[in-house]
Amino acid sequence: MQNRALEDFIDRHSRLFVLTGAGCSTNSGIPDYRDRHGNWKRTPPVTYQAFIREHATQQRYWARSLIGWRRFGNALPNDAHHALAKLEATGRSNILLTQNVDGLHQVAGSKQVIDLHGRLDMVRCLGCASTTSRSTFQGELTRLNDAWLTVEAADAPDGDADVEEDFSSFVVPSCQSCGGVLKPDVVFFGENVSRDIVATAKSHLNEADGMLVVGSSLMVYSGYRFVQMAAQNGLPIAAVNLGRTRADHLLALKIEDRCEAALAFLL
């Protein structure tokens, strides 16, 4: 019955603003951050301030990422991604704004996508802003730290791995152009989303006739603010999420189900 209500909601709107979060990718083998109550499941991720200030934090981040990327980099879209690509292909969404950094919406075929928090498959220099692909950078990390390839660890969100070792011997490459610090081209906690990205997303929201949230607790303000804007614009808002969201009081419809199950009718 609930899923029929979601089907009816989507049928009533032709310019949906879609916002997705980690729950959209869990069935692709990428863990999420929060439990059903919106609380952290594990230690919160590294902050931008710690990463740029402490070489030890860079060593820890890249060592764990070297291990985690082996599976994260090979993740494939699941039915939730394919369903949202179908929603776009049939002309019922005007944009997909994702908080995820895995690029799986694009792999599934979605074309109108804004990566709110960037993409993990690129690495950017904080000095000269030059970029390189993560696959190339992974090769360099591996060449300099081959002993770490034998480490096994459970996956953590966003290509991280649950590893606690002495990271002091881990070699972090510098930018080949300027010697600067290299960082994944994503927005870390404590870092601001680009104003241009926010403005572009807001312009799409102003053209929408409804909003659909898929797999996000909306506990992070960078995503939650768009739900606030939608409510201020008088747009009806539906959400698919297992557990509490920060915007429960603003929703016209909420479906507590796995994303791929709730959206299966689109396929």
Side-chain angles (χ1 to χ4, degrees), residues 1-13 16 84 87 92 211-214 237-241 253-266:
M1 185 68 72
Q2 269 199 329
N3 288 12
R4 182 52 194 267
L6 179 62
E7 188 172 352
D8 290 342
F9 179 89
I10 289 176
D11 283 344
R12 291 196 305 271
H13 301 93
L16 281 169
L84 292 172
L87 187 69
R92 285 176 284 175
M211 184 173 192
L212 174 62
V213 179
V214 182
I237 306 164
V240 177
N241 193 63
L253 173 66
K254 182 179 180 185
I255 309 296
E256 294 217 28
D257 200 354
R258 294 176 296 109
C259 300
E260 61 278 5
L263 298 174
F265 66 89
L266 291 169

Side-chain angles (χ1 to χ4, degrees), residues 14 32 49 80 100 105 111 124 132-133 205 207 234 239:
S14 60
D32 54 3
Q49 291 75 15
N100 299 339
H105 286 298
K111 302 186 185 308
R124 180 177 295 274
T132 187
S133 72
L205 185 61
E207 297 171 357

Side-chain angles (χ1 to χ4, degrees), residues 7-185:
E7 188 172 352
D8 290 342
F9 179 89
I10 289 176
D11 283 344
R12 291 196 305 271
H13 301 93
S14 60
R15 300 187 311 280
L16 281 169
F17 182 101
V18 181
L19 171 66
T20 69
C24 203
S25 292
T26 53
N27 204 39
S28 293
I30 300 173
D32 54 3
Y33 284 105
R34 298 179 186 271
D35 61 21
R36 286 174 176 263
H37 304 290
N39 299 317
W40 292 108
K41 289 182 178 180
R42 49 173 57 81
T43 302
V46 64
T47 65
Y48 175 73
Q49 291 75 15
F51 185 88
I52 62 173
R53 188 172 59 240
E54 303 160 358
H55 182 66
T57 299
Q58 296 165 27
Q59 289 176 301
R60 181 180 185 274
Y61 176 87
W62 285 119
R64 291 167 59 113
S65 184
L66 168 66
I67 298 162
W69 181 260
R70 291 178 294 184
R71 286 187 287 268
F72 182 92
N74 291 311
L76 296 173
N78 62 59
D79 282 351
H81 299 106
H82 291 298
L84 292 172
K86 184 73 175 290
L87 187 69
E88 179 191 288
T90 54
R92 285 176 284 175
S93 68
N94 78 342
I95 197 67
L96 190 157
L97 178 70
T98 184
Q99 299 173 107
N100 299 339
V101 296
D102 51 42
L104 292 181
H105 286 298
Q106 291 91 330
V107 176
S110 291
K111 302 186 185 308
Q112 298 298 317
V113 180
I114 297 175
D115 296 297
L116 183 63
H117 296 151
R119 289 275 295 267
L120 206 60
D121 57 1
M122 296 298 295
V123 176
R124 180 177 295 274
C125 174
L126 294 177
C128 66
S130 62
T131 59
T132 187
S133 72
R134 176 53 202 267
S135 58
T136 299
F137 188 67
Q138 181 76 358
E140 183 68 1
L141 283 176
T142 299
R143 183 183 69 80
L144 295 172
N145 302 279
D146 61 341
W148 286 80
L149 295 179
T150 61
V151 176
E152 291 294 332
D155 291 330
D158 291 343
D160 191 14
D162 280 325
V163 180
E164 292 301 338
E165 300 277 349
D166 178 0
F167 300 108
S168 60
S169 64
F170 191 86
V171 180
V172 179
S174 299
C175 175
Q176 294 184 354
S177 298
C178 74
V181 173
L182 295 172
K183 172 183 169 292
D185 197 14

